[in-house]
Amino acid sequence: MTEVQDTALDPRLNDLVAQLRECSDLGAAGALLAWDQETGMPAKGIDGRSSALSTIAGLSHERFTRSQVRDTLAAAEGLTDLPPAEQALLRETRRDFDRATKVPGDLVRRIARAASQAQAAWVTAKEARDFQAFLPHVQSLLELKTEYAHAVGFAEVPLDALLDDHEAGATVRSIDAQFESLKSELVPLVHAVLSSGTAVDTGPLRRSFDQDTQRAFSADVARAMGFDFEAGRIDRSAHPFCIGIHRGDVRLTWRGQPDDLRPALYGIVHEAGHGLYEQGLPPDRSGTPLCEAVSLGVHESQSRLWENMVGRSRAFWTCFLPRLKERFPGVLDDVTEDAIYHAANEVTPSLIRVEADELTYNLHIILRFELERALFAGDLAARDLPGAFADGMARMIGVRPAHDGDGVLQDVHWSMGAFGYFPTYTLGNLYAADLFEAADRDLGGLDALIEKGELMPLREWLRAKIHVHGRSSTPRDLVANAIGKEPSQDAFMRYARAKFGEVYDLAL
Ligand code: ZN
């Protein structure tokens, strides 16, 4: 295993690093409690668990913002001859410290309380398909998050501050330009695919599959990807996620369906992609920002690259269809490589973002960003969200939700106050294509490796180019350095035209 940058930090930063590690240890304890809440906690544990989690979050914030950290950080910033990694550590710690201290403790607590109440209200409102019950919560979160944006400061508009929380450097202006440009190429491609007259049969992936065996097969794939099961594990949860407690303890979750392999397989491959990033963070930087992922967009690029560009490729099925048949004797005898490759790449307009195909997925994201932008600009009132959401779905994707449960209430993000989060999913898709194309070039053809089940060279490439760098640069610079040019949508569009042109028999 290649471990680049495996060198100790300048000892003059020892005091600061020790203080950061205490906060990070508290964070790890909180992460373990959060993981357990989703995987093992009995239902009646929720009151005690929320209390424990909020105490830990409070303690961590208190320890991080105290004067001792302020003084140690200021003293370290006075050192003039520090190497680049140490300089990056100070820059990122300063960014976190300033953000943490600019937000009044009272506002932090009000947001936490409002978000926890909104999440509970959202669950009920979604089940009852009743947006009115959720409306006061989304209004109060919008107000609180606007107040938060004014506290931390922003480039041009309040939503900039929230975008920057998830993807350092992103602004409404930059995302707007990116999404307008993407739409201009993606929308015609989606229309071409949907009007091609070719129907894709998803039958090969929708058969009766024993769930334990689905998990075992998917774990085989994760192992081939290089996910280290001595530094990670897989458990069941209602919604799949990946949580890095430490780079030596990375936990994935999954859920399966008895009659469809896709949720288990692509869920586990997706989360394992996130997991490889967490396991690949630099060991000697633990507890510091240099041992954290650079952004949510880059994190998502790792999961989507493995899920879609590897896991939904023809080369993947060349290697893994025989292995799948061995796992499910008699179930897939009639299925060819071509059939299963097509089955994994159906494009169809659908209501639910998390189930959307690779192409329309981005339209779901763009719609959500456009709504957030209008909300924060005062061009859209929260009470008008359901109609705006439904109209947007009809206009951009061609389907109209019959009720708010399948419409504006489908995602958890707004109930958590996580405005400005959605764009990172599409940034991740675009970064993934850029990275895959560069790795393909550097490794002399990925298809030939994937066909043989040799996935480790790709993991090593991602490790060297992305994982080991932690938060030592901006997300955009990190990707630009990895691919040797500015990131753009071009690689994604090339990939999408090539793949879906073939699947849908179109000359694009
Ligand atoms: Zn993800």
Side-chain angles (χ1 to χ4, degrees):
M1 193 158 73
T2 326
E3 296 288 9
V4 196
Q5 285 191 355
D6 193 2
T7 51
L9 289 162
D10 191 303
R12 289 173 295 172
L13 298 187
N14 283 355
D15 276 358
L16 179 65
V17 168
Q19 291 174 37
L20 294 178
R21 281 195 179 140
E22 281 188 353
C23 299
S24 139
D25 286 344
L26 287 169
L32 184 56
L33 289 183
W35 168 81
D36 176 74
Q37 181 177 325
E38 302 300 322
T39 53
M41 188 190 77
K44 289 180 182 169
I46 188 63
D47 287 346
R49 186 58 50 91
S50 345
S51 166
L53 278 167
S54 100
T55 299
I56 288 177
L59 283 173
S60 173
H61 185 260
E62 236 169 67
R63 280 196 98 70
F64 183 55
T65 52
R66 65 191 168 155
S67 56
Q68 208 183 333
V69 174
R70 180 190 304 275
D71 297 344
T72 318
L73 176 59
E77 285 170 333
L79 301 169
T80 50
D81 54 345
L82 288 171
E86 280 76 354
Q87 289 177 26
L89 189 155
L90 294 182
R91 189 188 63 234
E92 294 303 308
T93 304
R94 167 60 63 191
R95 175 180 150 87
D96 291 348
F97 185 81
D98 284 351
R99 256 178 138 66
T101 51
K102 274 179 190 164
V103 188
D106 172 58
L107 179 56
V108 172
R109 280 188 291 277
R110 281 188 291 139
I111 291 176
R113 203 176 314 121
S116 104
Q117 287 165 350
Q119 278 176 71
W122 169 74
V123 172
T124 320
K126 184 182 173 185
E127 264 168 32
R129 306 169 176 183
D130 177 11
F131 181 77
Q132 285 307 313
F134 183 59
L135 178 59
H137 296 278
V138 77
Q139 273 168 334
S140 112
L141 282 167
L142 275 167
E143 281 164 25
L144 287 164
K145 287 303 232 175
T146 304
E147 194 180 333
Y148 167 90
H150 283 279
V152 298
F154 46 81
E156 287 184 86
V157 290
L159 185 54
D160 288 341
L162 310 181
L163 288 167
D164 191 63
D165 271 350
H166 302 112
E167 192 73 16
T171 60
V172 168
R173 188 183 287 275
S174 71
I175 299 289
D176 236 349
Q178 175 77 76
F179 285 3
E180 278 307 312
S181 166
L182 181 61
K183 263 199 297 190
S184 72
E185 291 194 84
L186 186 57
V187 170
L189 175 59
V190 170
H191 285 156
V193 165
L194 295 181
S195 56
S196 68
T198 306
V200 160
D201 176 15
T202 56
L205 288 164
R206 297 169 67 191
R207 296 193 173 180
S208 175
F209 295 111
D210 170 70
Q211 296 214 46
D212 288 339
T213 315
Q214 290 190 38
R215 183 202 178 281
F217 172 73
S218 309
D220 286 347
V221 178
R223 205 171 283 108
M225 289 162 60
F227 183 78
D228 178 0
F229 280 89
E230 287 180 9
R233 52 184 284 156
I234 304 181
D235 296 86
R236 263 187 191 270
S237 70
H239 302 282
F241 64 91
C242 163
I243 192 161
I245 291 159
H246 179 268
R247 64 186 293 284
D249 184 358
V250 177
R251 303 184 181 210
L252 320 177
T253 70
W254 74 292
R255 66 175 165 194
Q257 259 172 247
D259 55 354
D260 193 338
L261 181 65
R262 292 173 297 180
L265 172 62
Y266 289 118
I268 287 177
V269 171
H270 179 102
E271 301 308 335
H274 284 302
L276 290 181
Y277 193 177
E278 294 290 323
Q279 290 183 342
L281 291 166
D284 280 6
R285 283 21 177 174
S286 78
T288 78
L290 299 183
C291 194
E292 288 171 14
V294 71
S295 74
L296 287 181
V298 175
H299 226 310
E300 194 67 7
S301 76
Q302 302 303 293
S303 54
R304 302 285 285 184
L305 181 149
W306 285 103
E307 176 194 351
N308 292 330
M309 282 148 200
V310 177
R312 294 183 202 271
S313 68
R314 184 183 286 279
F316 174 85
W317 285 115
T318 306
C319 172
F320 284 95
L321 178 59
R323 298 186 193 185
L324 185 65
K325 287 183 175 182
E326 268 171 41
R327 284 282 188 182
F328 294 101
V331 177
L332 294 157
D333 289 350
D334 60 315
V335 172
T336 63
E337 177 191 309
D338 199 56
I340 202 159
Y341 166 63
H342 280 74
N345 288 293
E346 185 197 34
V347 176
T348 185
S350 62
L351 287 170
I352 307 299
R353 172 184 63 87
V354 296
E355 294 164 8
D357 59 80
E358 281 184 78
L359 295 186
T360 60
Y361 186 91
N362 297 299
L363 301 177
H364 288 260
I365 296 303
I366 293 172
L367 168 63
R368 284 154 178 75
F369 171 70
E370 289 179 356
L371 294 173
E372 288 183 340
R373 190 188 55 191
L375 281 170
F376 277 88
D379 296 338
L380 174 67
R383 67 173 177 279
D384 296 328
L385 260 177
F389 191 97
D391 290 347
M393 286 292 293
R395 186 181 71 247
M396 291 178 65
I397 300 173
V399 285
R400 179 178 283 276
H403 55 78
D404 291 342
D406 278 351
V408 69
L409 289 172
Q410 67 177 266
D411 295 302
V412 70
H413 303 63
W414 291 337
S415 78
M416 297 158 57
F419 302 103
Y421 186 123
F422 284 118
T424 65
Y425 291 119
T426 283
L427 292 180
N429 286 333
L430 302 184
Y431 287 152
D434 265 331
L435 292 168
F436 192 81
E437 199 174 82
D440 185 55
R441 178 197 64 210
D442 288 358
L443 297 172
L446 281 170
D447 276 355
L449 291 169
I450 296 171
E451 271 171 16
K452 288 183 281 183
E454 290 177 14
L455 307 182
M456 289 298 275
L458 178 56
R459 189 201 75 166
E460 290 304 298
W461 188 92
L462 291 166
R463 185 156 280 189
K465 299 285 183 180
I466 300 290
H467 306 170
V468 297
H469 299 288
R471 260 172 71 188
S472 61
S473 66
T474 67
R476 221 182 142 80
D477 285 350
L478 180 66
V479 176
N481 282 331
I483 66 175
K485 61 182 174 189
E486 280 298 304
S488 74
Q489 70 196 33
D490 298 347
F492 178 79
M493 290 310 307
R494 272 193 291 278
Y495 158 80
R497 287 196 183 98
K499 181 197 251 185
F500 295 100
E502 190 208 339
V503 171
Y504 281 88
D505 207 8
L506 293 164
L508 294 168

